[in-house]
Amino acid sequence: MTARERRKAMLEVLCLRGYDTRANLAFEFGVSKRTVEYDVQILSLEFPIYTQQGKGGGIYVSKGFRLIQQCLTCKQTQLLRKVADTLTGEEKQTMEEIIERYGFSEGGKRR
């Protein structure tokens, strides 16, 4: 799992649960607590994620926030590109639109 895929999965988990602890996320994703902190810092630049110290503390997603758009993994994007090469006409155009909207570029960055 790449760092980008881990962060996406972490965001999905946080959205489902509402909050979690860095220790639990570190265990669940097989990374250090420091890596979770770094991932949360990066995610918080784009999503409404915050931390709270003390009793009841942890990593939270703002109430009411939901992920609307799902993204394809790099492997899924590559597979769809292979399938798109076998299509023609409107079907090919539709597949290319899906890849453009939800896929990752060759460099692993979101389009």
Side-chain angles (χ1 to χ4, degrees), residues 18-73:
Y19 84 100
D20 211 330
T21 65
R22 70 182 176 139
N24 190 52
L25 290 171
F27 176 79
E28 186 170 342
F29 290 99
V31 296
S32 69
K33 291 178 190 176
R34 180 63 191 122
T35 298
V36 171
E37 290 172 10
Y38 181 71
D39 287 347
V40 168
Q41 285 178 333
I42 290 175
L43 287 169
S44 68
L45 296 173
E46 199 171 338
F47 301 98
I49 294 175
Y50 62 96
T51 59
Q52 184 175 332
Q53 301 292 328
K55 186 176 180 178
I59 303 162
Y60 291 81
V61 175
S62 294
K63 290 183 191 258
F65 175 75
R66 298 287 179 260
L67 282 175
I68 297 171
Q69 181 179 351
Q70 297 294 317
C71 300
L72 298 171
T73 65

Side-chain angles (χ1 to χ4, degrees), residues 6 32 61 84 86-88 102-103 106:
R6 182 185 63 246
S32 69
V61 175
T86 67
L87 301 174
T88 59
Y102 299 105
E106 292 298 321

